[in-house]
């Protein structure tokens, strides 16, 4: 349905993720900004988890090979349809030969091109997501390339039903240069001094240029460890521990010089101390953080995290409710 003319900087096929295999070292992969991804799928008339294209900083140029409906969400970018400016967060109808150009992001990092029917590539372990480090999923485990032809699934609704659909603008995300990230402290935060933990929570941290789907290096005040006492630690480096599992969103502190915030393609365990885990509903903010973005961390309890997750899920449900209302009466002024 779509021909790739120019692939963009780093564009991959992603869905909601590959779950149930963490115990064998398989990370979930999937869309980094789940809210924008799920919103795009709903706009395009899909189930929330349908496979879509995830762009990074610079999107692709695509040509429609048949009638197709698309919605582009996430980081705002310079979107053009046949050379004319086109809106994001709106369902667009493409005819054969139409060209969709996705230029550079003007804020944030990752955008999503969701196509009615979803991108149709084979499932592997229950997901179509590309895992670049493992070289599987998507199209041969790689980024999309010029001349690729992206097939789509069977349409369920007509273009006339979908074209022009848009969300309640109050639901759209923002992309701040300073983001607060809420964090559950542990598993290995006991290795840091009280002063170092306080400094971690009370000073800003900056995203380095080493930031990708595996993890984000963050620079700040560094970390100070307690004196090593048996049976804690492993080896001569105080940042090493007996191997533990790494949740997505956890922050490891190798050598104590910087933090590494692990993302959806990261390895699932190892021997670096992890001092805390960013809660699930704040990982979308991390996904849209460009180099030099600053983070501030705020510790929360497990009860807080569960409450915030429930609010996040309610916000996702509001997307579907918003579109159902739009389909019925449209927004005022439309």
């Amino acid at each position: 349905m779509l021909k790739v003319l120019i692939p963009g900087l780093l564009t991959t096929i992603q869905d909601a993720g590959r779950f149930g295999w963490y115990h064998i070292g398989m990370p979930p992969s999937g869309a980094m900004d789940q809210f924008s991804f799920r919103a795009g799928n709903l706009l395009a008339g899909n189930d929330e988890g349908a496979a879509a294209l995830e762009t990074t900083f610079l999107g692709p140029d695509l040509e429609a090979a048949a009638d197709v409906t698309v919605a582009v969400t996430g980081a705002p970018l310079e979107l053009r349809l046949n050379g004319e400016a086109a809106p994001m967060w709106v369902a667009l109808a493409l005819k054969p030969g139409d060209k969709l150009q996705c230029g550079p992001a003007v804020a944030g990092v990752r955008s999503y091109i969701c196509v009615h029917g979803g991108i149709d590539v084979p499932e592997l372990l229950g997901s179509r997501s590309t895992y670049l480090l493992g070289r599987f999923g998507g199209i041969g485990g790689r980024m999309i390339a010029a001349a690729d032809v992206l097939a789509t699934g069977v349409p369920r609704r007509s273009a006339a039903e979908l074209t022009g659909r848009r969300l309640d603008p109050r639901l759209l995300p923002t992309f701040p240069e300073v983001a607060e990230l809420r964090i559950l402290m542990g598993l290995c935060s006991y290795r840091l001094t009280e002063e170092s933990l306080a400094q971690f929570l009370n000073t800003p941290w900056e995203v380095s240029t080493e930031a990708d789907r595996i993890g984000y290096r963050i620079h700040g005040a560094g970390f100070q460890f307690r004196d090593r006492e048996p049976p804690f630690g492993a080896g001569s480096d105080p940042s090493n521990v007996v191997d533990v599992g790494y949740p997505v969103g956890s922050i490891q502190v190798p050598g104590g010089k910087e933090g590494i915030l692990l993302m959806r393609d990261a390895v699932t365990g190892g021997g670096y101390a992890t001092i805390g885990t960013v809660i699930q509903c704040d990982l979308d903010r991390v996904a849209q953080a460009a180099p030099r973005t600053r983070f501030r961390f705020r510790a929360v309890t497990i009860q807080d995290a569960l409450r915030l997750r429930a609010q996040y899920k309610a916000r996702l449900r509001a997307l579907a409710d918003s579109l159902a209302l739009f389909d019925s009466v449209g927004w005022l002024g439309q």
Side-chain angles (χ1 to χ4, degrees):
M1 289 292 186
L2 289 172
K3 298 177 183 178
V4 179
L5 305 178
I6 301 173
L9 184 62
L10 193 163
T11 306
T12 59
I13 296 170
Q14 301 292 342
D15 61 15
R18 182 175 286 109
F19 298 100
W21 306 99
Y22 219 71
H23 63 293
I24 62 169
M26 183 70 64
S29 298
M32 292 271 279
D33 177 352
Q34 287 281 316
F35 185 88
S36 296
F37 159 77
R38 291 172 185 272
N41 268 320
L42 291 172
L43 281 166
N46 298 330
D47 294 333
E48 288 183 21
L53 294 178
E54 178 182 88
T55 77
T56 309
F57 287 117
L58 176 66
D61 288 3
L62 306 170
E63 180 179 338
D67 291 341
V68 64
T69 302
V70 304
V72 182
T73 60
L77 50 72
E78 296 176 7
L79 184 66
R80 294 186 176 277
L81 179 57
N82 297 326
E84 299 293 329
M88 293 181 61
W89 301 90
V90 177
L92 305 172
L94 275 62
K95 299 292 184 183
D98 282 351
K99 293 180 174 61
L100 188 71
Q101 298 167 296
C102 303
V106 297
V109 177
R110 293 176 173 87
S111 303
Y112 295 89
I113 305 169
C114 300
V115 186
H116 184 47
I119 304 294
D120 187 13
V121 292
E123 286 192 356
L124 182 63
L125 299 179
S127 171
R128 294 181 169 87
S129 288
T130 306
Y131 178 31
L132 292 172
L133 194 61
R135 299 184 181 178
F136 61 79
I139 302 175
R142 62 169 172 80
M143 299 177 281
I144 66 168
D148 281 343
V149 177
L150 307 175
T152 60
V154 177
R156 298 184 301 182
R157 301 177 65 175
S158 69
E161 291 179 272
L162 297 171
T163 302
R165 299 176 96 215
R166 63 188 66 215
L167 294 164
D168 184 337
R170 292 172 294 183
L171 296 175
L172 302 186
T174 57
F175 304 94
E177 292 184 3
V178 179
E180 179 184 81
L181 301 179
R182 292 159 292 193
I183 186 171
L184 283 170
M185 301 306 296
L187 295 168
C188 306
S189 53
Y190 68 88
R191 296 296 299 131
L192 299 181
T193 65
E194 290 184 6
E195 294 81 5
S196 186
L197 274 176
Q199 193 171 45
F200 169 72
L201 294 171
N202 292 311
T203 59
W205 294 79
E206 186 174 277
V207 177
S208 80
T209 56
E210 296 178 79
D212 56 23
R213 290 185 50 85
I214 297 172
Y216 282 49
R217 290 186 182 270
I218 54 174
H219 298 315
F223 303 91
Q224 298 297 319
F225 294 91
R226 298 177 186 272
D227 293 336
R228 295 184 65 250
E229 298 178 0
F232 305 123
S236 59
D237 188 333
S239 68
N240 288 352
V241 296
V242 176
D243 283 9
V244 295
Y246 291 156
V248 174
S250 59
I251 298 175
Q252 58 180 212
V253 289
K257 296 179 180 178
E258 61 186 1
I260 302 177
L261 202 169
L262 301 179
M263 297 301 286
R264 296 180 71 93
D265 281 359
V267 296
T268 62
Y272 289 128
T274 54
I275 62 169
T277 301
V278 175
I279 64 175
Q280 180 186 27
C281 57
D282 283 356
L283 291 177
D284 294 345
R285 298 180 188 176
V286 181
Q288 297 294 359
R292 304 194 71 177
T293 298
R294 287 172 293 159
F295 292 144
R296 284 188 176 272
F297 296 97
R298 178 164 66 86
V300 296
T301 65
I302 186 66
Q303 291 79 14
D304 291 332
L306 291 172
R307 174 179 54 80
L308 292 164
R309 183 171 68 175
Q311 291 176 1
Y312 180 76
K313 289 183 175 181
R315 188 166 167 240
L316 289 173
R317 289 193 299 271
L319 293 174
D321 294 341
S322 168
L323 285 172
L325 178 61
F326 179 84
D327 290 344
S328 298
V329 299
W331 301 125
L332 293 177
Q334 286 294 118

